[in-house]
Amino acid sequence: MAEVGIFVGTMYGNALLVAEEAQAILSQHGHQATVFEDPTLADWEGFSQKIALVVTSTTGQGELPSSIVPLYEDIHARLGHQPTLRYGVIGLGDSSYSHFCGGAKKFDALLQEQGASRLGEPLFIDAVDHPEPETVAIPWVEAWVALLN
């Protein structure tokens, strides 16, 4: 059984909905999953030896939503190397904008720079093709669960 922290960055609630679906799937597979809607550095540090799943939308010019910006900035400024962290990324975006899923890509790049180990490939969900992002996220999470062992 793995412990997974699901760290959410959302503007209109879609990323939170995806995070809650992921939590349900993880629980069905016997894992312990906690959703952090307004995540803090203390929340994040509790999963440094466990698994983090970042579920975030993108705003403006490829930026993170305000609910997850403080976490991102604290990780960048205060943590540095995170070699024991394993993580996954789900990004929600709109390909009609030039910085499609830029927030999720930015978070992923930071964790890669800090030596964390990504489990699988990130999932980037395009609102143009998938107005209900959970329909794409559910099969991805089902497959991602197999990587947790």
Side-chain angles (χ1 to χ4, degrees):
M1 175 178 101
E3 287 186 57
V4 181
I6 305 173
F7 299 87
V8 182
T10 192
M11 290 291 295
Y12 303 111
N14 284 339
L16 180 59
L17 177 63
V18 168
E20 289 169 344
E21 290 286 343
Q23 180 184 34
I25 292 166
L26 287 161
S27 296
Q28 289 168 4
H29 286 274
H31 301 291
Q32 181 181 342
T34 306
V35 173
F36 296 96
E37 192 172 346
D38 291 303
T40 66
L41 186 60
D43 297 330
W44 184 266
E45 289 177 317
F47 288 86
S48 65
Q49 305 278 329
K50 301 170 187 169
I51 300 168
L53 176 60
V54 177
V55 181
T56 187
S57 57
T58 296
T59 66
Q61 296 297 310
E63 298 303 316
L64 291 161
S66 59
S67 64
I68 202 166
V69 166
L71 174 62
Y72 174 87
E73 290 176 347
D74 283 347
I75 290 170
H76 183 263
R78 298 170 62 190
L79 284 189
H81 200 56
Q82 298 188 73
T84 60
L85 177 70
R86 297 186 305 152
Y87 75 97
V89 175
I90 299 175
L92 286 70
D94 184 326
S95 63
S96 65
Y97 291 89
S98 59
H99 298 283
F100 172 65
C101 285
K105 292 174 181 175
K106 182 177 179 178
F107 217 113
D108 181 48
L110 173 63
L111 297 178
Q112 287 288 294
E113 288 169 15
Q114 293 186 343
S117 298
R118 185 177 62 220
L119 300 172
E121 290 300 314
L123 173 64
F124 300 121
I125 304 171
D126 188 352
V128 171
D129 297 325
H130 305 285
E132 296 177 352
E134 65 277 9
T135 62
V136 178
I138 289 170
W140 183 91
V141 174
E142 288 282 358
W144 190 72
V145 166
L147 304 175
L148 301 184
N149 299 324

